[in-house]
Amino acid sequence: MKGIDLRSLRLHRVLDTDREEVFDEIADLGRRLSARPQMALITFVDDDRVWLKSKVGISVNETSRDVSFCGHGILQKAVFVVRTPPLDKRFKGQPVCG
């Protein structure tokens, strides 16, 4: 399944594209509705990175998949909860934890 998802991502040429208002509006809505309203992201997971299509409250454009929430989350079969990200060794170096 991993290969199918990555092929689709590449086929639609979403990675490394310019900002788009519709994605920013969705991220902003998520930010306003969330428990952490200072930050919201729309991300796409590639082979070795997580690319941020839209972002509110963070300046990076991408992060390494091995220290990302998305990279760990997509490998889980159940709900993935991280209660204290800055203290979790899996996310050391993750700019979102800052």
Side-chain angles (χ1 to χ4, degrees):
M1 185 163 181
K2 174 184 168 187
I4 294 169
D5 295 339
L6 289 174
R7 278 195 304 268
S8 294
L9 186 61
R10 291 182 183 114
L11 176 70
H12 293 288
R13 295 183 176 139
V14 176
L15 296 173
D16 302 310
T17 56
D18 292 334
R19 293 182 71 163
E20 295 179 55
E21 187 175 343
V22 67
F23 285 96
D24 291 341
E25 289 172 358
I26 295 167
D28 188 55
L29 176 63
R31 178 194 61 79
R32 288 184 281 132
L33 296 174
S34 75
R36 191 169 182 201
Q38 68 271 28
M39 184 180 299
L41 311 169
I42 295 178
T43 63
F44 293 96
V45 181
D46 197 353
D47 286 315
D48 58 357
R49 67 179 174 145
V50 175
W51 182 70
L52 287 65
K53 174 66 177 169
S54 180
K55 57 194 180 239
V56 175
I58 188 169
S59 61
V60 298
N61 293 319
E62 65 182 60
T63 185
S64 176
R65 181 175 166 172
D66 63 336
V67 296
S68 73
F69 294 97
C70 296
H72 287 276
I74 63 172
L75 300 175
Q76 307 302 311
K77 295 185 189 281
V79 174
F80 181 60
V81 177
V82 180
R83 302 227 184 268
T84 52
L87 303 178
D88 191 311
K89 67 181 178 181
R90 295 173 294 186
F91 306 110
K92 184 176 182 176
Q94 171 57 270
V96 176
C97 291

